[in-house]
């Protein structure tokens, strides 16, 4: 493991920040106690809500942990496209008996207030999604003793993050569940991305920073593979979703291995940004028509997602999941970290045996 990550955790295993409630303090603490490092997800939370969770983790464990922040997004969506999508969702609002959200509501999630709190009372690691902070912000965190991690989806984003002063990179392949952390959502580029192993190699060739690999990883043998490809650690999200410490909805946990949901796809249906989730009715019916409009679409569908969950209807929920979701294991987080570490060791031993003369 690189010097920048040494001392933060025993194993090169990172529990991904999963916004929307999955990354509860209980999950973060359990992963840390078992030898990995967990991340709180500050996205969709107020600054006070984030800080309360930070304090809860600190009360539970003395292990290192991280906090993930969403970068503010420019409002560049086509209002007419959002309006067309709003009309398309009218039937969903009638079905679930709930009004659509206001796409023009203030989408500011308090990024600056969250940064101020984390600089005043530093945590070991802060990561960023949907963009790269300024050099001023990254330097301020470095001065406070916080390791900064910028999530990237291309070599160019990696170069930009290194230039800005990032301490490490989270290299996210297209296999990853949840939102793709592209710094610019270009609707002309379509719903595409680069596979994790190829992307790690491309980033390693052009950037000299510690790399955390993310994207569809579920097994210790897969972690060993990305470490061999040049990563310093591996980040797993979907693997931790079914843990009892996870705050994911029970229907979401069950859907990961439910034979009704056999595949994943990248879709803008729920948020207006590319995100990988299980293919359900909502994704099939609305995904092809959802505009590139974040956070407007996210705000528009917020009530629908809540109503579907309350009605016990997984076909209307955002079931974020990586491509390896069928390999999900319902274990306590600490046991899962231990199993992943044992699988890593077994994979290394198998390679040693095969390569012996």
């Amino acid at each position: 493991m690189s010097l920048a990550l040494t001392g933060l955790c025993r194993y090169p295993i990172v529990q991904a920040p999963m916004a929307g409630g999955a990354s509860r303090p209980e999950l973060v603490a359990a992963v840390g106690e078992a030898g990995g490092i967990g991340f709180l997800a500050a996205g969709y939370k107020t600054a006070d809500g984030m800080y309360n969770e930070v304090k809860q983790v600190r009360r539970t464990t003395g292990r290192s942990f991280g906090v993930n922040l969403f970068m503010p997004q420019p409002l560049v969506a086509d209002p007419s496209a959002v309006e067309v999508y709003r009309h398309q969702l009218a039937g969903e609002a009638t079905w679930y008996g709930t009004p659509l959200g206001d796409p023009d509501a203030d989408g500011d999630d308090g990024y600056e207030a969250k940064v101020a709190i984390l600089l005043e009372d530093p945590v070991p690691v802060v990561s960023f999604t949907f963009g790269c902070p300024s050099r001023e912000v990254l330097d301020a965190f470095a001065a406070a003793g916080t390791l900064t991690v910028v999530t990237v989806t291309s070599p160019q984003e990696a170069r930009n993050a290194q230039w800005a002063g990032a301490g490490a990179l989270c290299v996210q392949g297209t296999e990853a569940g949840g939102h793709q952390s592209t710094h610019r959502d270009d609707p002309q580029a379509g719903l595409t991305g680069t596979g994790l192993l190829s992307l790690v190699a491309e980033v390693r060739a052009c950037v000299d920073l510690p790399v955390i690999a993310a994207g569809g990883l579920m097994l210790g043998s897969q972690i060993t593979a990305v470490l061999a490809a040049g990563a310093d650690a591996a980040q797993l999200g979907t693997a931790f979703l079914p843990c009892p410490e996870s705050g994911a909805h029970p229907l979401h946990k069950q859907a990961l291995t439910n034979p009704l949901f056999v595949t994943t796809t990248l879709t803008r249906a729920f948020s207006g940004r590319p995100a990988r989730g299980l293919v359900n009715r909502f994704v099939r019916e609305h995904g092809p028509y959802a505009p590139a409009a974040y956070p407007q679409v996210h705000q528009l569908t917020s009530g629908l997602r809540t109503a579907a969950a309350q009605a016990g209807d997984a076909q209307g929920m955002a079931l974020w999941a990586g491509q390896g979701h069928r390999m999900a294991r319902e274990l306590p987080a600490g046991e899962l970290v231990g199993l992943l570490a044992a699988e890593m060791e077994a994979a290394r031993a198998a390679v040693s045996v095969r390569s012996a003369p």
Side-chain angles (χ1 to χ4, degrees):
M1 207 180 322
S2 74
L3 291 177
L5 298 175
T6 300
L8 292 179
C9 49
R10 179 182 178 187
Y11 304 120
I13 297 172
V14 180
Q15 167 251 306
M18 294 172 280
S23 297
R24 293 194 303 177
E26 295 91 336
L27 178 62
V28 173
V31 170
E33 286 293 317
I37 183 167
F39 270 82
L40 293 172
Y44 310 136
K45 289 186 173 69
T46 64
D48 286 342
M50 175 200 74
Y51 191 49
N52 286 334
E53 291 199 344
V54 167
K55 291 188 290 185
Q56 187 174 338
V57 172
R58 286 172 170 158
R59 286 194 299 267
T60 307
T61 180
R63 304 292 184 179
S64 295
F65 66 99
V67 176
N68 175 261
L69 302 178
F70 281 179
M71 291 297 297
Q73 299 298 292
L75 300 177
V76 295
D78 178 359
S80 62
V82 175
E83 180 64 14
V84 168
Y85 195 54
R86 186 181 70 82
H87 281 291
Q88 178 170 337
L89 296 177
E92 299 284 352
T94 300
W95 176 258
Y96 289 114
T98 189
L100 295 173
D102 180 4
D104 299 319
D106 183 5
D108 181 11
D109 78 339
Y111 168 78
E112 292 185 0
K114 293 172 184 176
V115 167
I117 288 172
L118 295 173
L119 287 173
E120 182 177 343
D121 191 359
V123 298
V125 191
V126 172
S127 67
F128 301 88
T129 295
F130 298 157
C132 181
S134 66
R135 175 170 288 276
E136 179 184 13
V137 169
L138 292 172
D139 286 350
F141 275 115
T146 296
L147 173 67
T148 54
V149 181
V150 175
T151 310
V152 300
T153 62
S154 71
Q156 185 58 55
E157 291 176 355
R159 286 190 289 265
N160 292 344
Q162 179 171 259
W163 179 86
L169 303 173
C170 178
V171 176
Q172 184 195 51
T174 189
E175 305 95 333
H179 284 96
Q180 293 285 293
S181 188
T182 175
H183 294 187
R184 179 176 179 271
D185 180 18
D186 182 1
Q188 304 305 318
L191 299 173
T192 61
T194 303
L196 180 59
L197 288 177
S198 296
L199 187 57
V200 167
E202 290 176 13
V203 169
R204 267 284 174 234
C206 68
V207 172
D208 183 23
L209 284 175
V211 165
I212 301 169
L217 304 175
M218 301 293 289
L219 306 174
S221 58
Q222 295 171 318
I223 297 175
T224 299
V226 295
L227 296 181
D232 298 281
Q235 179 171 286
L236 296 79
T238 305
F240 286 102
L241 270 179
C243 294
E245 298 91 343
S246 158
H249 193 283
L251 287 177
H252 192 169
K253 296 182 179 185
Q254 295 164 13
L256 297 174
T257 53
N258 187 326
L260 286 175
F261 306 104
V262 297
T263 189
T264 66
T265 190
L266 289 172
T267 182
R268 290 191 173 93
F270 293 103
S271 72
R273 245 186 177 273
R276 183 171 296 282
L278 299 174
V279 176
N280 60 7
R281 178 193 60 79
F282 197 100
V283 170
R284 286 193 298 270
E285 292 183 2
H286 303 296
Y289 312 103
Y294 179 89
Q296 292 91 337
V297 171
H298 168 77
Q299 292 163 176
L300 196 64
T301 66
S302 177
L304 297 178
R305 288 178 274 121
T306 298
Q310 291 175 344
D313 183 9
Q315 296 292 344
M317 296 170 59
L319 303 173
W320 303 136
Q323 286 186 344
H325 66 96
R326 304 287 302 175
M327 294 181 281
R329 296 173 285 194
E330 190 176 349
L331 295 171
E335 290 186 24
L336 179 57
V337 171
L339 178 58
L340 291 168
E343 291 173 341
M344 290 170 57
E345 188 60 34
R348 292 194 192 102
V351 170
S352 297
V353 169
R354 288 195 295 269
S355 60

